[in-house]
Amino acid sequence: MIELAVFDMAGTTIEEHGAVYEALRHAVEATGVTVDRADLQTWMGTDKREAIAALVRIGGGTPDAELVERQYEVFRTFLKQRYEEVPPEPIAHADKAFDELRARGVKIALTTGFSDDVALPLLASLGWSVGEGGNLDAVVTSDEVRRGRPAPYMIHRAMEKCGVLDVRTVLVAGDTAVDLEAGTHAGAGVVVGVLTGQLTREQLEANPHTYVVDSVADVPGLPETAS
C-alpha cells in the first residue's frame, strides 16, 4: 500500500490557467530570443532558473548568472500579476482527493519547480498548509534541493520530511514529462501522469509511468491507494 503521495503543484493540483507557461515564455523572450513551444513544454515542471537558462541558451543567447537572476525576477513579477488578474484555484476535487487519501493514512506532499517566494504565497492563497489543521504533510520547493526535476531529490526530500523509508510505497503524480521522469528516477512504486496540464495522453504515455489518468481526483481510486 502507498504511504506517501507526492503531487506536483501547478497543472496537477492547482489550476493556474496557463500563467506559468506564459510567464516563462515572457521572461525568456524578453532577452531577445525566440522560444519554441516544444522546448518550452520540455522545461515545464523544472526549476525555473534552470529553465530560463536552458531556454535562453537554446534560443542562441548567453545565460550568465546575472541574466538568469534578472529574468527570474521578470518571471516572478509577471506571474504575480497574472495570479492577481486570474486567481489560481484547486484542480476540481483535489481537496477531496487529499482528504480521502489522508483518511486512509496516506501522507500528502507537494513538490514544485517554484522557489519559496512563489510557492508559499500561492499555497496560502488557496488555504493549503502544513501542520495542525492543514491539509498537507509536506511541501518541497526548488530552494531545498541541489537540483530540481527530473532529478529525484524533491521526492526524496518529501520522504524525509514525512518519515517514509521505502520509496516503493511512494506514489508520484504530475502533469509534465519531468514529473514522470523524476518519479521514475526516485524509484517510486507508482508513477501517475495527469491530463490537467498541457500534454495529451499520448505525450504523457511516451514517458515511463504506471498510470495516466484524467485528474488528480482519480488517484484515490487507483488499486494501490484504494481501501
Side-chain angles (χ1 to χ4, degrees):
M1 290 294 291
I2 296 301
E3 296 181 46
L4 170 64
V6 179
F7 296 100
D8 169 54
M9 285 175 49
T12 299
T13 55
I14 300 173
E15 173 57 77
E16 44 80 62
H17 311 287
V20 175
Y21 192 95
E22 293 176 24
L24 187 56
R25 176 187 288 278
H26 174 74
V28 175
E29 291 192 338
T31 68
V33 306
T34 300
V35 179
D36 181 80
R37 179 181 177 84
D39 291 331
L40 185 61
Q41 186 56 58
T42 295
W43 284 90
M44 289 296 290
T46 64
D47 175 271
K48 295 304 175 283
R49 288 180 173 88
E50 290 183 16
I52 289 168
L55 290 168
V56 169
R57 187 178 297 109
I58 290 169
T62 304
D64 59 36
E66 182 179 347
L67 180 143
V68 170
E69 199 58 37
R70 183 173 66 249
Q71 297 316 117
Y72 176 75
E73 285 304 310
V74 171
F75 164 83
R76 194 170 68 87
T77 299
F78 186 97
L79 189 64
K80 181 175 184 292
Q81 181 179 339
R82 284 286 281 111
Y83 281 173
E84 289 171 353
E85 294 169 353
V86 185
E89 55 193 355
I91 290 286
H93 307 299
D95 302 83
K96 181 181 177 182
F98 292 170
D99 291 344
E100 284 187 42
L101 291 169
R102 294 185 93 201
R104 298 173 194 168
V106 178
K107 294 181 178 179
I108 303 294
L110 299 185
T111 60
T112 179
F114 294 150
S115 53
D116 285 351
D117 58 352
V118 175
L120 301 184
L122 173 56
L123 293 176
S125 75
L126 301 176
W128 290 3
S129 64
V130 175
E132 187 174 353
N135 64 335
L136 307 172
D137 296 288
V139 174
V140 181
T141 69
S142 60
D143 290 332
E144 298 183 54
V145 293
R146 180 178 292 273
R147 188 176 176 195
R149 307 182 190 111
Y153 308 138
M154 286 197 292
I155 297 165
H156 292 157
R157 178 66 175 140
M159 292 175 62
E160 182 181 2
K161 286 187 170 186
C162 293
V164 173
L165 302 179
D166 189 347
V167 73
R168 293 171 297 179
T169 68
V170 176
L171 177 148
V172 174
D175 66 295
T176 67
V178 293
D179 291 320
L180 305 188
E181 291 171 10
T184 301
H185 293 158
V190 181
V191 178
V192 182
V194 300
L195 296 172
T196 47
Q198 301 284 331
L199 296 183
T200 65
R201 178 178 292 275
E202 183 179 22
Q203 288 171 319
L204 279 177
E205 288 181 344
N207 300 278
H209 66 280
T210 313
Y211 303 102
V212 172
V213 298
D214 290 336
S215 165
V216 66
D218 298 315
V219 170
L222 295 176
E224 292 83 351
T225 62
S227 58

